[in-house]
Amino acid sequence: MGLKRYSVFAIVREAMSYHQGWERAWPWPKPKRKYDVVIVGAGGHGLATAYYLGKNFGITNVAIIEKGWLGGGNTGRNTTIIRSNYLQDPSAAIYEKARSLYETMSQDLNYNVMFSPRGLLMLGQTEHEVRGYKRTVYANNLQGVETRWIEPDEVKKLVPIINIAGPRYPVLGALYQARGGTARHDAVAWGYARACSAMGMDVIQQCEVTGVRSEGGRVKGIDTTKGAIDCDKLGLVVAGNSSVLAEMAGFRLPIESLALQALVSEPIKPCMDVVVMANTVHGYMSQSDKGEMVIGGGTDGFNNYTQRGSFHHIEETVRSLIETFPMLSRLKMLRQWGGIVDMTGDRSPILSKTPVEGVFVNCGWGTGGFKAIPGSGWAMAELMARGHSPLTEEFSMYRFREGKFIDESVAAGVAH
Amino acid sequence: MLTLECPYCGVKAEETELTAGGEAHLKRYGPGSSDEDFESYLFVRKNPKGVHFERWRHAYGCGKWFLAARCTATLEVFGTYPAQSKEPPAELQAKIRAKRPNWEGYR
């Protein structure tokens, strides 16, 4: 599939012909009868998995099946934060891999994902949190993840609109990752879809999986609303619906689906050029290129597949953020939306083989999947191609049986 | 906003008054059980897209735990019943079956 490359010359060329010559960014193929690998879920993680299967392992007879539209799930619903300041070594390894891949993603994919390493602060607002984050800084130093602890006066310098004096939640310092930041979430999905299509893979949208066929404990293929498709290997990368697909394949996962919400304000002039996360008050915020304040909150407590959450969580999120950012109280909120996230018992993801041979799962990213997309795809591709990967070793679905948790729930609070 | 009727005090409580407690009717395993049993009790969940039986606590009311049947795909509430129930009451199951003919049962 020869897709024309995007470049400044392409813009000049097309400008000469009234921009009539731009071709579709990616094709709309019909499914073939059989593929070597089928990935269910054309969100960031699924597309990245397919991309690295092709790029790193030369496996290009691949279909990526999507029931809705490209990146219409959590890839298009998150608050676009990218960071890798995790406490546990396996987490730091995969998230830092992801963050480092984001650095060159626009060049690698020939698609501008607008990665903006603008710096990220996780506020310490209680003594307990301060100690926790200092511990994370020490851990990060050992892991080779560049973070440092900064004092309140430096926080104030980086974020002039912040109220560090409290009184209820004073800012006692922050865990600062200078190369953390944001990226354009849709572009990540689009860029990968384009790159996958260019390698000859089929990105098949509006095609829902209705069943998983296996024989003698080995996967044979899937049934979809566009017909049956056979495959040798099947990757389930369907955050929010992982349990549903697992049930079709015949096993259960240690996962619950919960609604997580976000909202944006009306656009205003640039006032904050970093990402700020305030985990004590369950809120995190950045300013988009359009000027909207992008705000994320906490999850609802009950199982939910509806992609909408409870209003009182919005209220709680905004109420607590106003305490730390008083100027927010004058802003109107424009839009609010929800996505369904996979929650595991230890708040760490699952990248794993399953009881069905040839079926692999990549799920359980909880509230923080976007930042992990390239690293997750890289590791998942290696797992699917080779049967093992150093990055996924600790993230097996069987770790719960063995008690080998990767406990990030304490370290990260709720907001990822 | 989700509203559940507490089967003990009869209050129609909205969700800020309640705490969700996850899947109901799990089999509890004790000392001497296998690792698989503990895993199924502590971590593995059905997490269905559809009819879900779950534990709730009337935290800012009478404080008692109760059980509820709810659809996770539509947020429809089928009913609530006391936490001491070994399985969902027969009439509640019949009500769910009438509304969801393809429902595969509560297990």
Side-chain angles (χ1 to χ4, degrees), chain A residues 5-79:
Chain A
R5 281 183 67 80
Y6 293 137
S7 68
V8 65
F9 304 108
I11 294 175
V12 172
R13 186 185 66 229
E14 296 304 328
M16 300 297 178
S17 55
Y18 301 95
H19 292 285
Q20 303 286 307
W22 294 107
E23 57 187 11
R24 281 186 82 125
W26 53 82
W28 184 276
K30 283 203 170 68
K32 289 191 281 191
R33 189 70 191 80
K34 182 167 188 317
Y35 294 91
D36 293 343
V37 176
V38 168
I39 305 288
V40 184
H45 290 262
L47 290 164
T49 301
Y51 173 73
Y52 291 112
L53 274 173
K55 191 179 177 215
N56 294 351
F57 300 99
I59 302 170
T60 54
N61 186 16
V62 176
I64 307 108
I65 311 283
E66 168 60 46
K67 75 169 174 182
W69 65 94
L70 272 187
N74 295 342
T75 303
R77 291 164 189 269
N78 59 76
T79 48

Side-chain angles (χ1 to χ4, degrees), chain B residues 25-103:
Chain B
H25 303 298
L26 291 171
K27 183 158 168 48
R28 294 178 176 221
Y29 289 93
S33 306
S34 69
D35 288 352
E36 285 77 13
D37 289 342
F38 269 117
E39 184 197 20
S40 74
Y41 160 40
L42 292 170
F43 296 106
V44 178
R45 295 293 177 260
K46 192 175 179 191
N47 191 27
K49 187 176 191 171
V51 182
H52 189 230
F53 295 88
E54 53 195 15
R55 304 164 73 230
W56 285 86
R57 182 167 172 257
H58 194 184
Y60 297 96
C62 66
K64 287 183 179 150
W65 284 95
F66 64 92
L67 306 180
R70 199 171 56 81
C71 179
T72 59
T74 63
L75 301 188
E76 180 181 4
V77 177
F78 300 110
T80 56
Y81 52 102
Q84 290 78 6
S85 318
K86 278 243 159 42
E87 57 175 35
E91 63 268 31
L92 181 60
Q93 292 199 46
K95 184 179 167 188
I96 295 168
R97 211 169 288 284
K99 287 187 171 179
R100 300 276 191 284
N102 294 327
W103 176 48

Side-chain angles (χ1 to χ4, degrees), chain A residues 64-343:
Chain A
I64 307 108
I65 311 283
E66 168 60 46
K67 75 169 174 182
W69 65 94
L70 272 187
N74 295 342
T75 303
R77 291 164 189 269
N78 59 76
T79 48
T80 77
I81 296 171
I82 294 164
R83 64 183 181 89
S84 61
N85 50 355
Y86 280 74
L87 178 64
Q88 311 291 351
D89 292 348
S91 318
I94 197 164
Y95 287 109
E96 177 60 14
K97 177 76 193 168
R99 199 204 54 75
S100 65
L101 287 169
Y102 267 118
E103 297 259 7
T104 56
M105 188 186 280
S106 295
Q107 291 77 24
D108 294 343
L109 299 181
N110 181 231
Y111 205 93
N112 187 4
V113 300
M114 298 162 82
F115 176 57
S116 161
R118 56 183 68 181
L120 177 141
L121 293 83
M122 291 173 87
L123 301 180
Q125 292 184 291
T126 63
E127 195 55 44
H128 177 80
E129 216 174 7
V130 170
R131 287 180 197 178
Y133 286 153
K134 283 187 175 169
R135 183 183 169 203
T136 304
V137 170
Y138 301 142
N140 288 161
N141 287 345
L142 292 171
Q143 293 151 347
V145 177
E146 208 176 302
T147 62
R148 65 193 171 92
W149 176 257
I150 58 175
E151 297 297 334
D153 53 331
E154 196 173 346
V155 175
K156 184 74 184 171
K157 234 178 261 166
L158 284 164
V159 196
I161 63 170
I162 206 167
N163 171 24
I164 56 169
R168 191 167 170 203
Y169 298 112
V171 176
L172 306 170
L175 166 57
Y176 181 51
Q177 183 169 25
R179 294 302 288 179
T182 62
R184 172 105 164 86
H185 50 3
D186 302 312
V188 173
W190 296 338
Y192 275 126
R194 197 174 143 78
C196 287
S197 298
M199 284 191 279
M201 298 179 182
D202 288 349
V203 182
I204 301 159
Q205 301 177 67
Q206 293 178 15
C207 176
E208 187 168 355
V209 175
T210 53
V212 176
R213 283 178 284 116
S214 55
E215 218 175 86
R218 207 195 141 73
V219 70
K220 300 299 279 180
I222 54 171
D223 296 319
T224 74
T225 50
K226 290 189 176 175
I229 301 170
D230 288 347
C231 62
D232 297 331
K233 288 180 183 171
L234 177 66
L236 304 178
V237 196
V238 287
N241 288 285
S242 306
S243 300
V244 177
L245 268 291
E247 189 81 30
M248 285 182 196
F251 58 91
R252 282 187 185 176
L253 288 167
I255 276 181
E256 289 187 286
S257 299
L258 305 176
L260 177 70
Q261 296 179 86
L263 61 157
V264 293
S265 75
E266 59 190 326
I268 52 173
K269 286 186 178 177
C271 65
M272 191 176 86
D273 59 1
V274 290
V275 181
V276 178
M277 312 185 63
N279 289 349
T280 294
V281 297
H282 294 197
Y284 36 102
M285 189 165 77
S286 62
Q287 188 168 21
S288 75
D289 294 337
K290 282 188 283 182
E292 302 154 328
M293 303 308 286
V294 183
I295 299 170
T299 54
D300 289 346
F302 55 87
N303 296 40
N304 186 347
Y305 280 90
T306 63
Q307 294 188 318
R308 57 179 192 268
S310 302
F311 184 72
H312 69 90
H313 264 115
I314 300 282
E315 191 185 345
E316 276 163 27
T317 300
V318 174
R319 187 172 60 208
S320 47
L321 272 180
I322 283 174
E323 188 117 5
T324 309
F325 300 94
M327 56 129 12
L328 283 187
S329 68
R330 292 289 177 266
L331 288 184
K332 291 184 186 78
M333 293 301 151
L334 274 195
R335 290 191 305 283
Q336 161 272 340
W337 64 93
I340 301 304
V341 298
D342 290 346
M343 285 303 217

